[in-house]
Amino acid sequence: TALEKVQAKSDAQAILNQPKTNMSSALNKIENLGERNPLNDKEIIIGKTAIEIEPHLDGKSLWYKNIRAFEKGKGDATKTLKKIQEIADKEGVNLISEVSAFGEGGMTNKQLDKWYKKLGWEDYTQGRIMYRGEPLVLGNKMKDIPID
């Protein structure tokens, strides 16, 4: 509904107005890899690719909406995604996305899922996938179990 859209926009703006975090630092570094598309200011053009990425509503992850390569099958999207994952690793930020094919001549959902998994993404929740830049920390109640 319109009210939900206004609330979601308000929530996203509140996240952007928070003090500098690893998430905002990671987003700035990703934006500095390229420049905004003058025809679509939601896209960042990086090399021969365009991506859409924004703060996730959890306030500490990035919502990676999509990537498109201007020339299919040349490895450009893989190169760009690896650069983004390096930033996520350095900043300790997770990337969250959905596997969703779009456009003509690109990969199918099944091919995309395999591609993301090959690049270190894992199933997350509700049909979403995640790249873990934030290290997993085990609680103090966890104990070592020998694997002999």
Side-chain angles (χ1 to χ4, degrees), residues 127-142:
R128 296 191 173 127
I129 56 173
M130 174 188 280
Y131 177 81
R132 290 190 186 276
E134 178 183 40
L136 284 175
V137 178
L138 300 177
N140 58 6
K141 293 184 180 183
M142 301 298 289

Side-chain angles (χ1 to χ4, degrees), residues 37 43-51 68-72 76-77:
N37 181 345
E43 280 189 330
I44 305 166
I45 297 174
I46 302 171
K48 296 180 181 179
T49 63
I51 65 158
R68 63 185 177 96
F70 301 136
E71 297 179 60
K72 311 278 187 225
D76 296 323

Side-chain angles (χ1 to χ4, degrees), residues 96-126:
I96 300 171
S97 189
E98 290 178 333
V99 174
S100 182
F102 69 98
E104 291 182 26
M107 290 189 258
T108 64
N109 283 347
K110 187 175 181 177
Q111 291 168 324
L112 279 170
D113 189 59
K114 185 177 178 182
W115 180 69
Y116 279 112
K117 301 279 171 56
K118 185 172 130 184
L119 291 170
W121 291 66
E122 59 191 60
D123 291 326
Y124 179 48
T125 182
Q126 299 172 338

Side-chain angles (χ1 to χ4, degrees), residues 11-51:
D11 291 345
Q13 192 60 46
I15 289 167
L16 288 172
N17 291 335
Q18 290 177 352
K20 190 136 177 98
T21 63
N22 288 3
M23 184 260 318
S24 61
S25 176
L27 187 56
N28 285 337
K29 288 178 180 181
I30 292 166
E31 288 175 345
N32 288 332
L33 291 174
E35 58 187 46
R36 290 283 170 184
N37 181 345
L39 302 176
N40 177 359
D41 68 350
K42 293 180 180 182
E43 280 189 330
I44 305 166
I45 297 174
I46 302 171
K48 296 180 181 179
T49 63
I51 65 158

